[in-house]
Amino acid sequence: MTPTRRATRRVLTLLVAVFAATVTALGFSTPAHAITHSSATSQLSAAGISWTSSGGCSNRNVPTCTSFDGIRQATITGIITFKRASGCAVTITAGTETGHASGTYSHWNGYKVDIRLSTCVENYITRSYTYVGYISGWGHQYRAASGNLYTKEGSHWDVLYYTCGC
């Protein structure tokens, strides 16, 4: 490789590194990474958030389990932010386990959790967020200022975290 080519390669490498650092510093980095079930449950426990599983298990491939394997860090941070802001007791009833609707912003891809109904949660969501309307086949939907969506699906709230809501 010629000296000119080496110098050009170094300059390009430096420019890419500076660009990547700038993008990250400005908050335009890639979406939050997926974490393990263990990491998620540790954070949820520390925040006072409980979870339940109708099958008494956490296997992601069993629909009666409640798993957090592959959940996005932004989703965990989002539900913790919700609990702190609302002051409500929060119980997660579904995470990333199979058996939910597919799609980019799905349970499986780590963007959603289901939470148990309670008067406190209902009052906080309906008073604090903007009513979007009734989504046929899903339920009544509310949008937080962060863009996150809370849909009352009859027996639970289905929560879609685009961001951590911080």
Side-chain angles (χ1 to χ4, degrees):
M1 192 180 303
T2 67
T4 302
R5 206 171 153 123
R6 263 187 248 135
T8 302
R9 182 173 252 168
R10 282 187 199 137
V11 169
L12 285 174
T13 302
L14 180 62
L15 285 173
V16 168
V18 169
F19 177 76
T22 303
V23 165
T24 300
L26 292 174
F28 299 119
S29 59
T30 57
H33 64 283
I35 61 173
T36 65
H37 180 82
S38 177
S39 177
T41 57
S42 176
Q43 292 176 65
L44 294 169
S45 290
I49 296 173
S50 61
W51 59 94
T52 186
S53 165
S54 61
C57 50
S58 62
N59 185 328
R60 186 173 197 202
N61 296 303
V62 177
T64 56
C65 294
T66 297
S67 175
F68 301 115
D69 276 331
I71 199 160
R72 294 168 61 249
Q73 180 60 56
T75 303
I76 294 299
T77 304
I79 194 65
I80 292 169
T81 300
F82 173 80
K83 187 208 184 310
R84 290 180 179 153
S86 68
C88 299
V90 174
T91 301
I92 298 174
T93 59
T96 60
E97 64 280 349
T98 191
H100 300 279
S102 62
T104 301
Y105 301 106
S106 64
H107 281 272
W108 183 264
N109 288 337
Y111 285 86
K112 289 183 163 193
V113 291
D114 289 347
I115 59 175
R116 181 176 284 158
L117 297 178
S118 76
T119 302
C120 183
V121 167
E122 172 114 11
N123 288 342
Y124 184 79
I125 291 170
T126 59
R127 291 179 183 158
S128 303
Y129 302 147
T130 303
Y131 183 64
V132 174
Y134 181 78
I135 310 303
S136 183
W138 297 101
H140 295 278
Q141 191 170 77
Y142 296 81
R143 182 182 311 275
S146 61
N148 298 327
L149 293 172
Y150 295 75
T151 307
K152 187 175 182 183
E153 294 184 347
S155 64
H156 63 272
W157 285 96
D158 177 90
V159 187
L160 169 54
Y161 286 105
Y162 291 112
T163 70
C164 66
C166 306

